Amino acid sequence: MSAAPKWKKLLRVDVALLILACLLPVVDQRWHFDMVDPMRGVMVFAILALGLNIVTGFTGLLHLGMAAFMAIGAYAFAISSCDIYPFQLNFWWAILFTAIVGAFAGVLLGAPTLGLRGDYLAIVTLGFGEITQDVLKNLDVITKGTQGINPLPSPHVPWWTATGFGMLEFTSEQELPWYWLFLAFVVVAVVVCRNLERSRTGRSWLAVREDELAARCMGIAPVPVKMIAFATGAALAAVSGGLWVSMYSSTGEPGNYDFQVSILALCIVIVGGMGSINGVLIGSIAMLGIANIALPKIASVMQSAGWVNSGSVFGSPNNWKYLVFGLVLVVMMRVRPDGLLPAKLSIVNAKKKNAVEPAP
Amino acid sequence: MIMSQAAVSESVAPVAMGWGDVLSQQLITGVSNGMIIALIAIGYTMVYGIIELINFAHGDLCTLGSFLALTLVGALGMEAWAGLGGTAAVITLLISAAVFCGALNWTIDRVAYRPLRGKPKLALLVSAIGCSFILVNIALFWGGLPMEVFGGGNQAAAPKDFPSLISNENLLGAKSAITVTWRDLFVVIVTVPLMIGLTWLVKSTRLGKAMRAVAQNPTAAALMGIDVNRVIGSTFLIGGALGGFASVIYALYNNTISFQMGYRTGMDAFTAAVLGGIGSLPGAVVGGIVIGLVRALSDGYFEARWTNSVVFGILILTLVFRPSGILGAKLREKV
């Protein structure tokens, strides 16, 4: 442990990111980077990817249907809170309900399938994602089909408003309240994930990931352990879906929660480093930064330089996303399969360390 | 198909379709589509049999094959080739797409999969998903080519019309209630010899023997002097070539292609491969035809908007309850 230099111990990625996140609105107000709006998307996807990180990173199960749980969360939030339905919960109860529904859906998918081998499980989750999308689209009696459910409630928070201390109601136009709310959710999610990682459950996840047979020999039952991972991951994904639709006050169409979203979440986890919480945070900034900030900027620069016209297929930044995601996956797997910030608590690494330098 | 049906009955005589005719028609459509799916499924099953990889990119490879075919049709003006020229056009398309897809599949293996041999299997799968996304994006850009067949390139993402080089004429006569077209016949004429040829290749040639050896145990095969990487490369080459054939047949049969069709068709084909028993060639064919029939019957008697869910449901149920499929041997994960 003493091998790491002192400055590295002081450098804590999570704390640095939190400070930067707190400074961003101030800097943004002063110099107008327009970063607050895209950062909200980054934070929602960070929560989604933290959920995926539990399943794929900690437990080693490739999950290709995370978007389904995001969709389930979105619709659970919408149906429990929208005023065209009888429940009409407020934001906080609806989010809680969303998390429970998400966890339940995770168990429902996991119960029959978690005994399957790795690549089969991946395909089952993919199929689940597609079926969920179809069901949401086709059951338009309940889900309003492609119109989406709206309007949805926003949170009320005790805060200083224009008229003094009172209840602040969020609206879709305001950016900052949402920014702080999502930041708070990300912080809570990170703390939950970190504590889970260090808990008995979390260590069983890692044990199952590293060697299922050895884990069984140590008295860990793999299926229940995987089930908890599935449920927790699904709950986080559902919460991210609930937050997302609350901000837009509409679920949008079911096609928004497609395979591309699941793969974006996977890219985030792989770029950041599977099983590394800080990695997921960095990964979500990197991936969404590329997809939602860098690509549109590059496209507008190229258009103003006259290299591409806006009508051509190359002119729209959306048309480059598949290529970027694909290249990220292929290149990362070849060059740096552990990601940008590899997980510290890897059992394999721990073994290697002991082998190289025995304890003093 | 449905459209041509309506046109025929309007122009000739009002033919009432009994339930038996409707069913037969669905079965014919189902088998034709099923043969195409089977041809793609063989590509999945061969690769899975030899390196245990679900080659995600295979469906999108077929998309590129049909885009190449459409480009050739536009560049060589094949719509005008009449009579024997039409046959020549179809053969040209089949062969060029097969060569292109085979070479591309080999290259993908060389660049994206071979460096990952011996790494965890999930790394390979992730890399395959990445390749799939890259191919989808290439197809999207390809659709933006400024050619007339691509609609001038203004609507890159829109589905493209594929000219009907094969007649849609009813072989049973215009008055028949059931329609069997030249296209249905064409599907059978091309796919059946390919499947027989492949069976011969795997069963009776040196390369086929090497393939089976590598599938059984790569280390032992290498010790026997088999160049494992070359054999795996040829597997990708052959699987890709079959996908190339399938892509042209698909385009000629359905008359429409889009950059996203590979995902859908690929999932159908993968489901077929799993249903038949992944790793088994006859299984892929049986599975393909079953999936084709299921799709046709679901479109006809259930609701078309649920068909994809039905197929995915079959996929999940097969994986959960009978992972070895209909014809597959009992699989055991290597520890």
PDB file of all heavy atoms in Angstrom, chain B residues 166-181:
ATOM      1  N   ILE B 166     -36.257  -9.463 -60.044  1.00  0.00           N
ATOM      2  CA  ILE B 166     -36.871 -10.771 -60.255  1.00  0.00           C
ATOM      3  C   ILE B 166     -38.371 -10.578 -60.296  1.00  0.00           C
ATOM      4  O   ILE B 166     -38.944  -9.877 -59.466  1.00  0.00           O
ATOM      5  CB  ILE B 166     -36.474 -11.739 -59.137  1.00  0.00           C
ATOM      6  CG1 ILE B 166     -34.970 -11.977 -59.214  1.00  0.00           C
ATOM      7  CG2 ILE B 166     -37.223 -13.042 -59.266  1.00  0.00           C
ATOM      8  CD1 ILE B 166     -34.465 -12.893 -58.169  1.00  0.00           C
ATOM      9  N   SER B 167     -38.992 -11.223 -61.253  1.00  0.00           N
ATOM     10  CA  SER B 167     -40.418 -10.995 -61.510  1.00  0.00           C
ATOM     11  C   SER B 167     -41.269 -11.429 -60.320  1.00  0.00           C
ATOM     12  O   SER B 167     -40.946 -12.384 -59.608  1.00  0.00           O
ATOM     13  CB  SER B 167     -40.824 -11.752 -62.762  1.00  0.00           C
ATOM     14  OG  SER B 167     -42.083 -12.314 -62.582  1.00  0.00           O
ATOM     15  N   ASN B 168     -42.344 -10.719 -60.141  1.00  0.00           N
ATOM     16  CA  ASN B 168     -43.269 -11.013 -59.062  1.00  0.00           C
ATOM     17  C   ASN B 168     -44.465 -11.800 -59.579  1.00  0.00           C
ATOM     18  O   ASN B 168     -45.493 -11.889 -58.934  1.00  0.00           O
ATOM     19  CB  ASN B 168     -43.728  -9.693 -58.430  1.00  0.00           C
ATOM     20  CG  ASN B 168     -44.038  -9.870 -56.964  1.00  0.00           C
ATOM     21  OD1 ASN B 168     -43.824 -10.942 -56.408  1.00  0.00           O
ATOM     22  ND2 ASN B 168     -44.537  -8.828 -56.339  1.00  0.00           N
ATOM     23  N   GLU B 169     -44.302 -12.364 -60.760  1.00  0.00           N
ATOM     24  CA  GLU B 169     -45.417 -13.046 -61.430  1.00  0.00           C
ATOM     25  C   GLU B 169     -45.785 -14.333 -60.693  1.00  0.00           C
ATOM     26  O   GLU B 169     -44.906 -15.041 -60.185  1.00  0.00           O
ATOM     27  CB  GLU B 169     -44.959 -13.381 -62.859  1.00  0.00           C
ATOM     28  CG  GLU B 169     -46.022 -13.906 -63.770  1.00  0.00           C
ATOM     29  CD  GLU B 169     -45.399 -14.377 -65.069  1.00  0.00           C
ATOM     30  OE1 GLU B 169     -44.303 -13.864 -65.420  1.00  0.00           O
ATOM     31  OE2 GLU B 169     -45.953 -15.252 -65.707  1.00  0.00           O
ATOM     32  N   ASN B 170     -47.079 -14.613 -60.627  1.00  0.00           N
ATOM     33  CA  ASN B 170     -47.538 -15.818 -59.934  1.00  0.00           C
ATOM     34  C   ASN B 170     -47.322 -17.047 -60.818  1.00  0.00           C
ATOM     35  O   ASN B 170     -47.824 -17.120 -61.930  1.00  0.00           O
ATOM     36  CB  ASN B 170     -49.010 -15.680 -59.572  1.00  0.00           C
ATOM     37  CG  ASN B 170     -49.435 -16.747 -58.589  1.00  0.00           C
ATOM     38  OD1 ASN B 170     -48.691 -17.702 -58.348  1.00  0.00           O
ATOM     39  ND2 ASN B 170     -50.607 -16.576 -58.022  1.00  0.00           N
ATOM     40  N   LEU B 171     -46.565 -17.993 -60.309  1.00  0.00           N
ATOM     41  CA  LEU B 171     -46.246 -19.175 -61.105  1.00  0.00           C
ATOM     42  C   LEU B 171     -47.447 -20.086 -61.259  1.00  0.00           C
ATOM     43  O   LEU B 171     -47.505 -20.918 -62.156  1.00  0.00           O
ATOM     44  CB  LEU B 171     -45.104 -19.952 -60.449  1.00  0.00           C
ATOM     45  CG  LEU B 171     -43.745 -19.269 -60.474  1.00  0.00           C
ATOM     46  CD1 LEU B 171     -42.764 -20.054 -59.646  1.00  0.00           C
ATOM     47  CD2 LEU B 171     -43.257 -19.154 -61.898  1.00  0.00           C
ATOM     48  N   LEU B 172     -48.411 -19.972 -60.369  1.00  0.00           N
ATOM     49  CA  LEU B 172     -49.581 -20.859 -60.435  1.00  0.00           C
ATOM     50  C   LEU B 172     -50.674 -20.268 -61.310  1.00  0.00           C
ATOM     51  O   LEU B 172     -51.799 -20.760 -61.316  1.00  0.00           O
ATOM     52  CB  LEU B 172     -50.124 -21.091 -59.018  1.00  0.00           C
ATOM     53  CG  LEU B 172     -49.148 -21.731 -58.032  1.00  0.00           C
ATOM     54  CD1 LEU B 172     -49.787 -21.885 -56.673  1.00  0.00           C
ATOM     55  CD2 LEU B 172     -48.689 -23.090 -58.540  1.00  0.00           C
ATOM     56  N   GLY B 173     -50.358 -19.208 -62.025  1.00  0.00           N
ATOM     57  CA  GLY B 173     -51.380 -18.580 -62.869  1.00  0.00           C
ATOM     58  C   GLY B 173     -52.051 -17.450 -62.114  1.00  0.00           C
ATOM     59  O   GLY B 173     -52.154 -17.475 -60.888  1.00  0.00           O
ATOM     60  N   ALA B 174     -52.508 -16.450 -62.852  1.00  0.00           N
ATOM     61  CA  ALA B 174     -53.024 -15.240 -62.223  1.00  0.00           C
ATOM     62  C   ALA B 174     -54.306 -15.500 -61.445  1.00  0.00           C
ATOM     63  O   ALA B 174     -54.683 -14.733 -60.581  1.00  0.00           O
ATOM     64  CB  ALA B 174     -53.266 -14.179 -63.290  1.00  0.00           C
ATOM     65  N   LYS B 175     -55.004 -16.598 -61.749  1.00  0.00           N
ATOM     66  CA  LYS B 175     -56.298 -16.816 -61.110  1.00  0.00           C
ATOM     67  C   LYS B 175     -56.176 -17.557 -59.783  1.00  0.00           C
ATOM     68  O   LYS B 175     -57.134 -17.631 -59.016  1.00  0.00           O
ATOM     69  CB  LYS B 175     -57.200 -17.624 -62.059  1.00  0.00           C
ATOM     70  CG  LYS B 175     -57.812 -16.766 -63.142  1.00  0.00           C
ATOM     71  CD  LYS B 175     -58.963 -17.471 -63.811  1.00  0.00           C
ATOM     72  CE  LYS B 175     -59.548 -16.588 -64.893  1.00  0.00           C
ATOM     73  NZ  LYS B 175     -60.010 -17.392 -66.020  1.00  0.00           N
ATOM     74  N   SER B 176     -55.016 -18.104 -59.532  1.00  0.00           N
ATOM     75  CA  SER B 176     -54.870 -18.917 -58.332  1.00  0.00           C
ATOM     76  C   SER B 176     -54.990 -18.059 -57.077  1.00  0.00           C
ATOM     77  O   SER B 176     -54.574 -16.908 -57.047  1.00  0.00           O
ATOM     78  CB  SER B 176     -53.516 -19.609 -58.347  1.00  0.00           C
ATOM     79  OG  SER B 176     -53.247 -20.157 -57.089  1.00  0.00           O
ATOM     80  N   ALA B 177     -55.587 -18.631 -56.052  1.00  0.00           N
ATOM     81  CA  ALA B 177     -55.742 -17.891 -54.800  1.00  0.00           C
ATOM     82  C   ALA B 177     -54.420 -17.807 -54.051  1.00  0.00           C
ATOM     83  O   ALA B 177     -54.175 -16.876 -53.305  1.00  0.00           O
ATOM     84  CB  ALA B 177     -56.791 -18.571 -53.937  1.00  0.00           C
ATOM     85  N   ILE B 178     -53.579 -18.792 -54.272  1.00  0.00           N
ATOM     86  CA  ILE B 178     -52.291 -18.813 -53.591  1.00  0.00           C
ATOM     87  C   ILE B 178     -51.235 -18.266 -54.545  1.00  0.00           C
ATOM     88  O   ILE B 178     -51.261 -18.567 -55.738  1.00  0.00           O
ATOM     89  CB  ILE B 178     -51.906 -20.240 -53.173  1.00  0.00           C
ATOM     90  CG1 ILE B 178     -53.019 -20.822 -52.303  1.00  0.00           C
ATOM     91  CG2 ILE B 178     -50.590 -20.274 -52.457  1.00  0.00           C
ATOM     92  CD1 ILE B 178     -52.878 -22.287 -52.065  1.00  0.00           C
ATOM     93  N   THR B 179     -50.328 -17.455 -54.018  1.00  0.00           N
ATOM     94  CA  THR B 179     -49.304 -16.880 -54.869  1.00  0.00           C
ATOM     95  C   THR B 179     -47.963 -17.512 -54.565  1.00  0.00           C
ATOM     96  O   THR B 179     -47.479 -17.459 -53.424  1.00  0.00           O
ATOM     97  CB  THR B 179     -49.204 -15.367 -54.617  1.00  0.00           C
ATOM     98  OG1 THR B 179     -50.518 -14.874 -54.436  1.00  0.00           O
ATOM     99  CG2 THR B 179     -48.537 -14.669 -55.758  1.00  0.00           C
ATOM    100  N   VAL B 180     -47.364 -18.116 -55.560  1.00  0.00           N
ATOM    101  CA  VAL B 180     -45.968 -18.548 -55.458  1.00  0.00           C
ATOM    102  C   VAL B 180     -45.243 -17.832 -56.588  1.00  0.00           C
ATOM    103  O   VAL B 180     -45.549 -18.048 -57.758  1.00  0.00           O
ATOM    104  CB  VAL B 180     -45.822 -20.068 -55.628  1.00  0.00           C
ATOM    105  CG1 VAL B 180     -44.360 -20.467 -55.510  1.00  0.00           C
ATOM    106  CG2 VAL B 180     -46.638 -20.797 -54.598  1.00  0.00           C
ATOM    107  N   THR B 181     -44.321 -16.937 -56.242  1.00  0.00           N
ATOM    108  CA  THR B 181     -43.702 -16.131 -57.284  1.00  0.00           C
ATOM    109  C   THR B 181     -42.336 -16.697 -57.640  1.00  0.00           C
ATOM    110  O   THR B 181     -41.812 -17.596 -56.978  1.00  0.00           O
ATOM    111  CB  THR B 181     -43.525 -14.687 -56.813  1.00  0.00           C
ATOM    112  OG1 THR B 181     -42.637 -14.705 -55.707  1.00  0.00           O
ATOM    113  CG2 THR B 181     -44.839 -14.091 -56.403  1.00  0.00           C
TER     114      THR B 181
END
